[in-house]
Amino acid sequence: MKTSEILKSMCKVLFPFVSMFGLYVIINGHISPGGGFQGGAILATAILITYIIELDIVENLTLLIRIEKYAFLTIILIGGISLFTRGEFFTNFIPIGSSIVYKRIFLIALNFFIGIKVATGLITIISTFIEEGE
Amino acid sequence: MIRKVVILSMLLLILILFMLTIEDININTSARDYLFENGFRETGSNNLVTAIYLDYRLYDSIYEAGILLVTVSGIIFMSKKDDDVL
């Protein structure tokens, strides 16, 4: 597939902004609209832009699958900590009477791991489809 | 031409029926009021959507992430050749 020079140059300008916006949406998921799922989809779009620039796909799918597996296990573990601190599964592990600032640690951490998981999953799907199409 | 007219009239009928039913529904807003008053204090999140999917309903969110994992493994399994399976 041939891509035009104008499209390549515009994508080179656009790539850092898209990836920065994805990270912003993930980290600020508890303040502004957005969150882990949406930010991960934006990050996967940034990787799709690199395909237009270089015509090179991500080859190492095994590493991506491994990262996604470990991110999913980390999400379950962070959710399970609340069994010891609050006595019930899958809720905030900071005690219920503490300050709002400490409760936000849980939200930021979980948004971050969900973002990594969704981004790696969508990158794997995109790379597989591009590889099949060639 | 006749098909387009039929489809348009059906869409208009659906729209009118939706508008009629929405007027009749007596919506119970107790859950919304509870979240609006206590959501920020209990979870520390300004965004109430995040407060629901990361604190009140985290169980649902974890299985949503699991569905994505299953989807990715299924797509890779179908696209791989016979000689190299992950």
Side-chain angles (χ1 to χ4, degrees):
Chain A
M1 192 178 82
K2 279 173 67 177
T3 51
S4 68
E5 283 296 322
I6 301 172
L7 185 62
K8 267 186 200 172
S9 311
M10 281 310 294
C11 288
K12 279 176 190 167
V13 174
L14 212 59
F15 171 67
F17 291 105
V18 174
S19 40
M20 252 175 56
F21 181 63
L23 283 177
Y24 168 82
V25 167
I26 290 176
I27 298 296
N28 280 321
H30 58 291
I31 298 173
S32 60
F37 290 99
Q38 294 89 342
I42 296 171
L43 276 183
T45 316
I47 304 297
L48 188 60
I49 286 177
T50 62
Y51 171 70
I52 294 178
I53 298 173
E54 289 282 338
L55 289 183
D56 241 358
I57 59 169
V58 184
E59 294 284 346
N60 201 351
L61 289 183
T62 318
L63 179 67
L64 282 180
I65 289 285
R66 197 171 293 153
I67 291 174
E68 191 184 0
K69 264 188 308 194
Y70 290 140
F72 185 57
L73 285 180
T74 316
I75 291 168
I76 293 180
L77 282 181
I78 291 177
I81 293 176
S82 64
L83 182 66
F84 305 108
T85 57
R86 276 198 190 183
E88 53 191 53
F89 260 124
F90 294 149
T91 182
N92 201 334
F93 61 80
I94 312 285
I96 203 165
S98 56
S99 150
I100 288 170
V101 181
Y102 295 120
K103 282 178 181 174
R104 280 184 174 171
I105 298 172
F106 173 77
L107 297 175
I108 293 173
L110 217 57
N111 259 333
F112 185 69
F113 282 111
I114 287 178
I116 288 177
K117 193 202 163 300
V118 173
T120 48
L122 290 182
I123 290 166
T124 314
I125 291 178
I126 289 168
S127 312
T128 314
F129 281 169
I130 289 174
E131 195 179 11
E132 284 286 301
E134 277 172 351
Chain B
M1 183 65 199
I2 292 176
R3 195 189 285 170
K4 281 181 186 172
V5 172
V6 170
I7 291 176
L8 262 182
S9 56
M10 284 170 70
L11 284 177
L12 268 179
L13 186 69
I14 291 174
L15 182 66
I16 291 171
L17 282 179
F18 266 125
M19 287 165 71
L20 285 179
T21 35
I22 282 176
E23 279 185 358
D24 290 341
I25 292 176
N26 202 0
I27 299 173
N28 184 6
T29 62
S30 59
R32 193 187 68 187
D33 294 338
Y34 179 82
L35 287 176
F36 189 70
E37 285 169 11
N38 302 322
F40 176 68
R41 194 169 46 80
E42 285 183 354
T43 67
S45 161
N46 295 25
N47 183 5
L48 282 181
V49 178
T50 305
I52 291 172
Y53 86 81
L54 283 188
D55 202 314
Y56 294 111
R57 300 279 181 269
L58 184 60
Y59 209 71
D60 180 50
S61 197
I62 281 176
Y63 279 98
E64 194 178 339
I67 283 172
L68 187 67
L69 190 66
V70 172
T71 311
V72 170
S73 16
I75 287 175
I76 285 185
F77 177 73
M78 281 191 285
S79 75
K80 283 290 175 188
K81 310 293 183 296
D82 288 336
D83 46 353
D84 47 0
V85 175
L86 284 178

